Amino acid sequence: MNFYQSLFIIFLSLIFIYLIYRFYIFITTDFRYQLCKFKPFPQKYRSFLRQRFPIYKRLPPDIKRNLHACIMVFIKEKEFIGVKGIVIDDMKKVLVAANACLLTAGIDRCMYKDVKTVILYPEAFVKKEKIINGWVISEEESALLGEAWQSGQVVISYKDLTDGDINPNDGKNVGLHEFAHQLDMADGFADGTPLLPFSLYGRWRRIMSKEFKKIEEIYADYRGSFLDSYAITSPAEFFAVATENFFEKPEKMKKELPELYTLLKEFYRLDPVKWKEA
């Protein structure tokens, strides 16, 4: 056996091991999720949601059931780390999981197999970045409310998470935003296009591109939009900001950007316009 044959066999072996690993994750997570749909949801968790996650009261019973199952799976599978004095407790875990799982409650799966760790800061945190300009290298600090990493970490300011949750109508929710990024990156790319049914890809690209340009032109003309200007930073941010508003300002989006609303409704398999306060 020559060198290239050996290399090829090693390559095939690595692919086989990776596929086995992915199959294992798929089976265990999805099986656990389906099992949790038949388990009682802890009353303590339900109380946290009623008190601190007001959108929960609007959800239809079937969506609540899916949300409950995903929350239990998410809490069991993910590592939670508190920094700068944050103490991780059940309420924090439930509220973080609720933000993540609301996005997948209509899809009826817990789609965060690649998320490994949630890191909570007490409030906005400072990130230092190197800026290279020719031969000059400088360091710049920026305050962040959250970050989603391709490697499976989500970093969130707990204060801003709870502030966003307690006001579910302002279109600003760092939890929904960062977990939308995780859905986006499930295919390996942060490009504003999550894993989609094959039939949806063409319309997704067309509508997202058109609506992105529309919002870009609005801000270029110094006009305002209910979508924050951060949306036009990149297609990935456009998807995340659009997701925040799909859940928190659905009537506004349906009226002003009906194609975008319909597209997100089809992707998330949810229709927040129809949710009424319980």
Side-chain angles (χ1 to χ4, degrees), residues 6 10 15 41 45-46 60 77 96 118 121 136 141 147 161 185 187 194 214-215 226 242 257-258:
S6 300
I10 292 172
I15 290 178
F41 190 62
Y45 291 4
R46 203 184 299 268
E77 291 187 347
V96 170
V118 177
Y121 278 77
V136 179
E141 292 186 348
E147 274 192 316
L161 176 88
M185 294 187 289
D187 60 357
K214 182 186 295 184
I215 301 301
F226 71 97
L257 300 171

Side-chain angles (χ1 to χ4, degrees), residues 210-229:
K210 183 176 74 172
E211 303 292 21
F212 183 91
K213 290 177 181 175
K214 182 186 295 184
I215 301 301
E216 205 172 31
E217 289 171 359
I218 285 174
Y219 279 104
D221 291 340
Y222 300 100
R223 292 178 287 142
S225 169
F226 71 97
L227 290 184
D228 191 272
S229 60

Side-chain angles (χ1 to χ4, degrees), residues 208 227 237-247 253 260 264:
M208 282 293 192
L227 290 184
E237 296 301 345
F238 184 79
F239 170 60
V241 172
T243 292
E244 292 177 82
N245 286 272
F246 174 74
F247 285 96
M253 179 178 284
L260 180 60
L264 292 177

Side-chain angles (χ1 to χ4, degrees), residues 56-70:
Y56 175 75
K57 298 175 185 178
R58 306 178 192 170
L59 303 180
D62 59 324
I63 299 303
K64 281 185 179 178
R65 185 183 67 247
N66 295 349
L67 182 75
H68 294 166
C70 184

Side-chain angles (χ1 to χ4, degrees), residues 180-195:
H181 279 315
Q182 285 295 336
L183 293 181
D184 180 14
M185 294 187 289
D187 60 357
F189 303 96
D191 57 0
T193 303
L195 287 171

Side-chain angles (χ1 to χ4, degrees), residues 103-104 107 109 111-112 114 150 176-209 235-243 247 260 263-269:
L103 302 187
T104 66
I107 300 170
R109 288 178 64 195
M111 298 175 63
Y112 297 103
D114 294 323
Q150 187 78 60
L176 300 181
H177 185 104
E178 298 307 332
F179 284 105
H181 279 315
Q182 285 295 336
L183 293 181
D184 180 14
M185 294 187 289
D187 60 357
F189 303 96
D191 57 0
T193 303
L195 287 171
L196 301 167
F198 184 76
S199 59
L200 195 56
Y201 275 101
R203 280 197 298 124
W204 185 276
R205 292 191 183 97
R206 177 179 60 81
I207 293 172
M208 282 293 192
S209 177
E237 296 301 345
F238 184 79
F239 170 60
V241 172
T243 292
F247 285 96
L260 180 60
L263 188 70
L264 292 177
K265 181 176 76 171
E266 192 168 343
F267 169 63
Y268 286 116
R269 301 178 197 174

